[in-house]
């Protein structure tokens, strides 16, 4: 398993931290409304900090042969000697809202940048490829009259994140705005709670792959103090992924060098079952979130999560991952952009 695959869960964690930082937006001290409607001229930045520790181990699947069990035992020993994987990621997310056009549409831009990422394996720093992938920039527009959303352009960013947003960004964010429209019509008093679902179709690198993540964030309003609403939150996650694996080069080469052999094999015995990689993940966590009422700014969000993942490979090797993740997000208002003054005739 390469470094890139080890970073997928922390990358997911960073995306979820961003979701949590922007879900709720209270309105009045007496009652808090989950109103996330962008406002003209709004400019906000979120600084995210995530630390994760991952433990890996391997075991043989129930149908493993003696030879496969021996290979798994060797792999498990190497993992034990390698030690834990530790990751520290810092990111900046900036949202800017322009002035409405003649039809009432608001131009939006969202920029996500990776300030720093470090990975340690067994106490040794691992160099990361493509650390200067650049910021991911989304350009879009939003109509607050009916909550319509149009994603116009996706530029830069890490390949896996850019590809996901290009393929699924329109549907993902449109669904989020539909949810925000419903939540904006509900007010909360002290002690009241609201559930915010998280549903995400995960991009698969190979044709025929399928994956989905489902989760739920449970917010409880605990107090409103000096214009800031404070929430307790809990979170649950579940993901299931199934991806076909490419045919090993040795098998393909042998088939090319002996074309008559596969035909005989097909006549005498059924073809080999396709190689499939199956992954399941569960997670739960709890934390707090505080939001300023006047400008809908998420001031601070803290979330601690415990996650477990099981990967069943095509060679009867089962990989088990345990991860502890701590995420914080701090918000900053960058000011309100005013509409340009009209020139005097």
């Amino acid at each position: 398993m390469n470094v890139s695959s080890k970073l997928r869960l922390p990358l997911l964690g960073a995306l979820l931290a961003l979701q949590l930082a922007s879900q709720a937006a209270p309105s009045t001290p007496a009652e808090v409304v989950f109103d996330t409607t962008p406002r003209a001229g709004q400019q906000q930045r979120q600084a995210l900090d995530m630390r994760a520790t991952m433990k890996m181990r391997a075991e043989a699947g129930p149908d493993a042969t003696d030879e496969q069990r021996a290979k798994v035992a060797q792999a498990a020993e190497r993992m034990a000697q390698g030690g834990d994987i530790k990751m520290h990621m810092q990111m900046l997310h900036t949202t800017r809202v322009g002035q409405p056009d003649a039809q009432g549409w608001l131009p939006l831009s969202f920029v996500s940048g990776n300030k720093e990422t470090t990975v340690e394996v067994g106490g040794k720093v691992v160099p990361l490829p493509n650390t200067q992938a650049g910021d991911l920039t989304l350009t879009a527009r939003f109509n607050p009259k009916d909550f319509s959303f149009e994603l116009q352009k996706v530029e830069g960013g890490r390949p896996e994140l850019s590809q996901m947003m290009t393929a699924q960004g329109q549907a993902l964010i449109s669904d989020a705005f539909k949810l925000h429209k419903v939540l904006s019509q509900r007010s909360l008093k002290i002690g009241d709670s609201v559930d915010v679902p998280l549903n995400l179709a995960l991009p698969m690198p190979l044709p025929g792959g399928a994956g989905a993540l489902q989760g739920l964030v449970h917010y409880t309003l605990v107090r409103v103090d000096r214009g800031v609403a404070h929430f307790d939150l809990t979170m649950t996650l579940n993901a299931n992924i199934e991806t076909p694996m490419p045919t090993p080069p040795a098998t393909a080469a042998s088939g090319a060098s002996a074309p008559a052999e596969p035909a005989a094999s097909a006549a005498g015995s059924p073809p080999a079952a396709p190689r499939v990689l199956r992954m399941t993940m569960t997670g739960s966590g709890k934390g707090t979130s505080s939001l300023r009422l006047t400008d809908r700014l998420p001031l601070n969000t803290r979330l601690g999560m415990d996650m477990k993942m099981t990967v069943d490979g095509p060679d009867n090797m089962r990989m088990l991952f345990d991860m502890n993740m701590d995420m914080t997000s701090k918000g900053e208002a960058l000011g309100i952009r005013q509409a340009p003054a009209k020139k005097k005739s």
Side-chain angles (χ1 to χ4, degrees):
M1 181 162 293
N2 55 33
V3 172
S4 177
S5 64
K6 295 172 185 175
L7 300 184
R8 289 176 183 172
L9 280 177
L11 174 61
L12 174 62
L15 291 173
L16 293 172
L18 175 61
Q19 286 269 359
L20 292 172
S22 61
Q23 290 284 359
S27 61
T28 67
E31 292 186 348
V32 173
V33 178
F34 274 54
D35 182 5
T36 55
T37 308
R39 294 188 295 174
Q42 192 174 43
Q43 299 184 73
Q44 296 183 352
R45 177 179 294 145
Q46 292 289 325
L48 285 85
D49 187 286
M50 188 197 69
R51 297 177 185 272
T53 300
M54 184 185 300
K55 301 178 182 291
M56 294 192 308
R57 62 189 190 279
E59 63 182 34
D63 300 324
T65 64
D66 291 341
E67 181 181 358
Q68 289 173 334
R69 291 181 185 278
K71 291 182 179 179
V72 171
Q74 294 176 356
E77 184 177 354
R78 290 194 299 269
M79 290 178 194
Q81 294 174 349
D84 297 344
I85 300 172
K86 295 182 178 181
M87 180 177 181
H88 181 207
M89 176 185 290
Q90 293 178 313
M91 302 182 73
L92 286 178
H93 302 294
T94 304
T95 303
R96 302 182 187 273
V97 186
Q99 299 299 323
D101 62 15
Q103 289 74 41
W105 287 86
L106 294 173
L108 304 175
S109 69
F110 174 80
V111 180
S112 176
N114 188 354
K115 288 181 60 180
E116 182 180 1
T117 300
T118 57
V119 176
E120 293 183 9
V121 179
K124 297 181 180 180
V125 176
V126 177
L128 299 178
N130 300 324
T131 54
Q132 303 297 325
D135 295 344
L136 175 71
T137 302
L138 276 64
T139 304
R141 66 175 190 162
F142 168 73
N143 193 329
K145 297 177 181 179
D146 58 3
F147 280 67
S148 298
F149 174 85
E150 291 183 6
L151 179 62
Q152 297 169 322
K153 187 184 296 184
V154 178
E155 298 178 293
R158 295 185 180 279
E160 61 267 40
L161 187 55
S162 180
Q163 291 170 9
M164 182 190 75
M165 294 308 301
T166 300
Q168 304 179 24
Q170 175 66 41
L172 287 173
I173 304 178
S174 294
D175 288 346
F177 275 118
K178 291 177 183 177
L179 174 62
H180 296 167
K181 182 179 181 180
V182 174
L183 294 175
S184 68
Q185 301 170 359
R186 174 178 177 178
S187 60
L188 298 177
K189 298 179 181 179
I190 303 300
D192 287 348
S193 300
V194 65
D195 290 332
V196 178
L198 296 172
N199 297 303
L200 179 66
L202 300 177
M204 294 293 105
L206 294 172
L213 180 146
Q214 295 181 331
L216 190 70
V217 186
H218 183 79
Y219 287 92
T220 301
L221 180 62
V222 293
R223 73 182 191 278
V224 179
D225 182 25
R226 297 182 180 181
V228 177
H230 299 268
F231 295 83
D232 285 341
L233 62 91
T234 59
M235 184 177 187
T236 57
L237 287 176
N238 291 279
N240 290 279
I241 301 170
E242 185 169 305
T243 303
M245 300 293 290
T247 303
T251 302
S254 63
S257 61
E261 190 172 331
S265 175
S269 60
R275 294 161 50 88
V276 177
L277 184 72
R278 295 181 176 88
M279 292 179 278
T280 60
M281 184 184 70
T282 60
S284 62
K286 60 182 180 179
T288 60
S289 183
S290 60
L291 301 104
R292 192 162 65 197
L293 308 181
T294 54
D295 57 358
R296 309 175 183 183
L297 175 67
L299 290 176
N300 290 282
T301 299
R302 298 178 180 275
L303 177 68
M305 291 200 70
D306 293 321
M307 305 175 72
K308 295 182 180 295
M309 185 170 73
T310 301
V311 180
D312 288 317
D315 297 321
N316 287 309
M317 176 185 288
R318 174 169 292 174
M319 299 285 296
L320 303 169
F321 300 83
D322 295 318
M323 187 171 73
N324 304 112
M325 185 163 54
D326 291 308
M327 294 178 288
T328 62
S329 176
K330 294 184 178 181
E332 174 189 5
L334 303 180
I336 298 293
R337 282 186 177 179
Q338 303 295 334
K342 296 182 178 180
K343 295 182 179 180
K344 295 183 180 181
S345 58

